[in-house]
């Protein structure tokens, strides 16, 4: 075996590159350092000058010093985010989108994950966050406890609760129930059941409301409606309760994890999916394509939701750096967990 040892690079190549200064940027762009300074402070420039400076910033891989920038502008470039269950797909993707939006706008995002059902914990977390120099705080969960904690807090910076409004039963922020149910109706299903999320969440209430409205408007029979907590375990428990109440030909779960629990409960009870009972979810988590059977669900653009949350917060602090994003439309993803209604 032959081992080749590469020549050592010159010592100068090993030295860390010195960060670029505004003078370096000015030389690269062919403009005055005063022009670069005005650009850094957000003062309008001629489009040609601005384009030269931005090209120079990219060429020299300029990394702004946010602390120094805050001292110059008198404005913090840090945001706080309160969230929950970051080990779950939806919340983690919302955070990814929120972090990207903050980064694109030149901000850092400080993230605090906590129990959204504990008003005291939420209040303490907000108080700790607000001891730091923040431009604003965004709460990425729409629970009644979060609303109560924010309403009772006196703050000097914007605090945004990014959430659905109650009774938004249309194809709104995260409500894909109508898409799933219209698919089931087209397959001939008339006897349906629902597993809701926790009803302290406006999103769960909206999804239940959408289910109830479709049942009434389309002349369906609801054989049961049981509350879960977004987890697979609660979906399993709720399905056992639903089977004791009646015999639906389809179960509409308010998220994919509860649908996963429903699939196991149906299998344990001797029901074939979709031969006896069809099952739909909502979210289109990466694992849903590998459930047994693969799950019919509604795809949600969680990253865009996170971007929208941060952009809404930045608009409230008058940040000119906001970059808008448009969420992808909700999309029905048909897989093998749904089929024609069985004949009763």
């Amino acid at each position: 075996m032959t081992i080749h040892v590469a020549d050592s690079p010159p010592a100068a190549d090993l030295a860390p590159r010195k960060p670029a200064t505004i003078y370096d940027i000015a030389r690269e762009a062919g403009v005055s350092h005063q022009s670069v300074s005005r650009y850094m402070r957000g003062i309008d420039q001629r489009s040609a000058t601005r384009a030269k400076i931005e090209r120079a910033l990219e060429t020299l891989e300029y990394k702004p010093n946010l602390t120094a920038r805050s001292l110059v502008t008198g404005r913090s470039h840090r945001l706080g985010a309160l969230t929950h269950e970051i080990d779950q797909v939806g919340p983690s993707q919302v955070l990814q989108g929120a972090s990207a939006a903050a980064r694109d706008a030149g901000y850092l995002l400080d993230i605090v994950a906590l129990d959204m059902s504990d008003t005291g914990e939420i209040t303490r977390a907000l108080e700790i966050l607000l001891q730091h120099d923040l431009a604003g705080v965004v709460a990425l969960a729409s629970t009644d406890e979060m609303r109560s904690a924010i309403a009772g807090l006196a703050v000097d910076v914007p605090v945004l609760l990014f959430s659905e409004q109650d009774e938004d039963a249309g194809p709104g922020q995260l409500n894909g129930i109508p898409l799933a149910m219209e698919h089931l109706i087209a397959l001939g299903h008339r006897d349906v059941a629902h597993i809701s999320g926790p009803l302290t969440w406006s999103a769960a209430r909206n999804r239940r409301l959408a289910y109830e409205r479709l049942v009434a408007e389309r002349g369906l029979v609801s054989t049961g409606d049981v509350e879960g907590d977004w987890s697979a375990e609660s979906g399993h428990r709720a399905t056992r309760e639903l089977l004791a109440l009646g015999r639906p030909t389809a179960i509409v779960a308010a998220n994919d994890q509860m649908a996963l629990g429903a699939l196991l409960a149906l299998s344990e009870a001797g029901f074939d999916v979709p031969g006896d009972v069809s099952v739909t979810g909502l979210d289109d988590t990466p694992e849903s394509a590998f459930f047994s059977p693969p799950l019919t669900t509604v795809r949600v653009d969680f990253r865009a939701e996170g971007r929208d949350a941060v952009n809404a917060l930045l608009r409230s602090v008058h940040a000119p750096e906001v970059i808008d994003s448009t969420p992808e439309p909700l999309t029905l993803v048909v897989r093998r967990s749904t089929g024609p209604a069985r004949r009763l």
Side-chain angles (χ1 to χ4, degrees), residues 61-75:
E61 299 179 353
Y62 178 77
K63 301 294 190 295
N65 184 318
L66 294 182
T67 301
R69 184 178 172 187
S70 295
L71 290 173
V72 171
T73 62
R75 187 176 69 197

Side-chain angles (χ1 to χ4, degrees), residues 87-109:
D87 57 328
Q88 298 295 323
V89 172
S92 69
Q93 290 186 352
V94 168
L95 272 181
Q96 289 174 33
S99 298
R103 186 170 59 250
D104 289 347
Y107 285 74
L108 294 176
L109 188 68

Side-chain angles (χ1 to χ4, degrees), residues 63-276:
K63 301 294 190 295
N65 184 318
L66 294 182
T67 301
R69 184 178 172 187
S70 295
L71 290 173
V72 171
T73 62
R75 187 176 69 197
S76 171
H77 280 77
R78 294 176 62 189
L79 303 172
L82 294 174
T83 187
H84 66 112
E85 297 176 353
I86 56 176
D87 57 328
Q88 298 295 323
V89 172
S92 69
Q93 290 186 352
V94 168
L95 272 181
Q96 289 174 33
S99 298
R103 186 170 59 250
D104 289 347
Y107 285 74
L108 294 176
L109 188 68
D110 295 331
I111 298 168
V112 177
L114 41 73
D115 180 0
M116 288 294 180
S117 66
D118 186 337
T119 303
E121 182 177 342
I122 295 168
T123 301
R124 287 190 296 274
L126 277 166
E127 290 172 345
I128 291 170
L129 267 177
L130 293 169
Q131 291 174 9
H132 300 278
D133 184 23
L134 298 177
V137 177
V138 60
L140 299 171
S142 51
T143 66
D144 294 340
E145 292 83 3
M146 177 61 77
R147 293 177 191 276
S148 176
I150 290 176
L153 199 66
V155 296
D156 296 324
V157 299
V159 179
L160 176 71
L161 177 62
F162 190 73
S163 66
E164 297 180 44
Q165 298 300 312
D166 278 313
E167 298 189 2
D168 175 20
Q173 186 182 10
L174 297 178
N175 199 339
I177 293 295
L179 278 176
M181 291 187 67
E182 290 294 352
H183 169 66
L184 293 171
I185 292 169
L187 290 171
H189 293 276
R190 294 293 180 270
D191 296 277
V192 296
H194 179 52
I195 304 174
S196 81
L199 295 176
T200 56
W201 290 69
S202 57
R205 292 194 292 266
N206 288 341
R207 295 175 191 186
R208 171 179 273 188
L209 179 59
Y211 168 81
E212 292 171 345
R213 285 183 177 174
L214 263 293
V215 166
E217 291 171 3
R218 302 301 297 273
L220 308 180
V221 174
S222 178
T223 64
D225 189 341
V226 177
E227 181 180 357
D229 62 12
W230 302 125
S231 70
E233 187 280 332
S234 72
H236 182 270
R237 170 186 50 76
T239 300
R240 295 179 64 178
E241 291 183 34
L242 289 172
L243 293 176
L245 293 172
R247 288 293 184 269
T249 65
I251 293 177
V252 181
N255 78 338
D256 287 354
Q257 289 302 110
M258 293 191 296
L260 173 61
L263 291 174
L264 177 61
L266 288 167
S267 175
E268 290 173 342
F271 290 94
D272 177 71
V273 176
D276 296 317

Side-chain angles (χ1 to χ4, degrees), residues 250-322:
I251 293 177
V252 181
N255 78 338
D256 287 354
Q257 289 302 110
M258 293 191 296
L260 173 61
L263 291 174
L264 177 61
L266 288 167
S267 175
E268 290 173 342
F271 290 94
D272 177 71
V273 176
D276 296 317
V277 182
S278 288
V279 176
T280 65
L282 200 158
D283 291 345
D284 192 29
T285 60
E287 297 81 8
S288 64
F290 301 95
F291 290 177
S292 180
L295 182 67
T296 292
T297 183
V298 176
R299 182 172 298 150
V300 176
D301 187 355
F302 285 112
R303 286 186 175 88
E305 297 293 335
R307 293 191 70 94
D308 286 348
V310 166
N311 286 341
L313 177 62
L314 291 176
R315 279 191 288 273
S316 72
V317 296
H318 310 293
E321 303 94 335
V322 173

